């Protein structure tokens, strides 16, 4: 088995290792991958509802993080978790008071306060896990396919 193939195989979750979540959103779906030591433990994705397709980019990216946290709750609750995303405005919105955010984002940010999340903002050059998940979701429906901050309000 070559190194490219072995990096894409799922590994068992280890409670003693640090956890990272890769999240991403497209105009058709959300995707997230739970990682430990850079290896995938679990991947999830879903399509957007009709109303969610009207969300702006920052709302979609935040929705992807909320979706990931709900799906990975049993693995991340009570742990410090790095959340990797490619959306720089999330860093800015998290530095402001939660009251300064639009109502929809306020609800999302409030639901994230139960977790100890650290945002890592960067581009996806070389990181393919959640992008592949979203691409697979979009293809099933015929669609197309850093820096640190805190998610505490």
């Amino acid at each position: 088995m070559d190194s490219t193939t072995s990096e894409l195989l799922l590994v068992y979750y280890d409670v003693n290792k640090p956890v990272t979540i890769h999240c991403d959103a497209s105009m058709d779906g959300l995707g997230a991958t739970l990682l430990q030591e850079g290896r995938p433990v679990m991947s999830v994705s879903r399509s957007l509802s009709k109303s969610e397709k009207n969300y702006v980019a920052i709302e979609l990216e935040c929705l992807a993080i909320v979706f990931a946290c709900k799906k990975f709750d049993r693995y991340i609750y009570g742990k410090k978790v790095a959340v990797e995303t490619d959306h720089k405005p999330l860093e800015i919105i998290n530095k402001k008071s939660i009251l300064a955010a639009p109502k929809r984002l306020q609800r999302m940010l409030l639901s994230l306060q139960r977790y100890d999340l650290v945002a890592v903002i960067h581009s996806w050059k070389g990181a393919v896990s959640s992008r592949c998940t979203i691409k697979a979701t979009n293809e099933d429906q015929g669609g197309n396919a850093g820096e640190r901050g805190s998610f505490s309000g």
Side-chain angles (χ1 to χ4, degrees):
M1 184 179 323
D2 64 12
S3 64
T4 306
T5 307
S6 65
E7 289 176 6
L8 297 177
L9 293 176
L10 296 179
V11 295
Y12 288 105
Y13 178 76
D14 184 345
V15 295
N16 300 314
K17 293 180 182 176
V19 177
T20 303
I21 297 176
H22 280 202
C23 294
D24 203 11
S26 72
M27 295 308 292
D28 295 313
L30 308 172
T33 303
L34 182 74
L35 302 163
Q36 286 189 312
E37 297 179 339
R39 306 272 317 271
V41 174
M42 182 178 179
S43 253
V44 294
S45 65
R46 75 169 177 88
S47 300
L48 296 176
S49 69
K50 188 176 179 181
S51 61
E52 289 170 343
K53 288 184 180 186
N54 296 323
Y55 285 13
V56 294
I58 193 167
E59 292 170 340
L60 286 174
E61 294 291 340
C62 196
L63 182 63
I65 295 168
V66 170
F67 169 69
C69 288
K70 284 182 180 177
K71 288 294 184 178
F72 301 144
D73 182 75
R74 70 180 64 167
Y75 303 104
I76 67 171
Y77 185 78
K79 295 186 82 158
K80 187 167 198 85
V81 178
V83 178
E84 297 184 348
T85 181
D86 61 351
H87 199 68
K88 180 97 170 138
L90 282 175
E91 177 186 35
I92 296 164
I93 200 83
N94 290 314
K95 289 182 179 178
K96 296 181 180 179
S97 165
I98 197 164
L99 297 173
K103 298 288 186 205
R104 187 179 290 153
L105 278 176
Q106 283 181 14
R107 286 190 298 273
M108 291 182 206
L109 293 171
L110 282 172
S111 69
L112 293 174
Q113 287 193 348
R114 68 183 295 192
Y115 304 105
D116 186 7
L117 304 176
V118 175
V120 180
I121 314 291
H122 64 81
S123 66
W124 288 120
K125 295 175 186 162
V128 295
S129 56
S130 56
R131 286 269 177 179
C132 289
T133 306
I134 291 174
K135 188 171 180 358
T137 301
N138 292 344
E139 287 174 354
D140 289 344
Q141 295 185 339
N144 302 323
E147 298 169 31
R148 293 185 180 266
S150 172
F151 278 97
S152 59

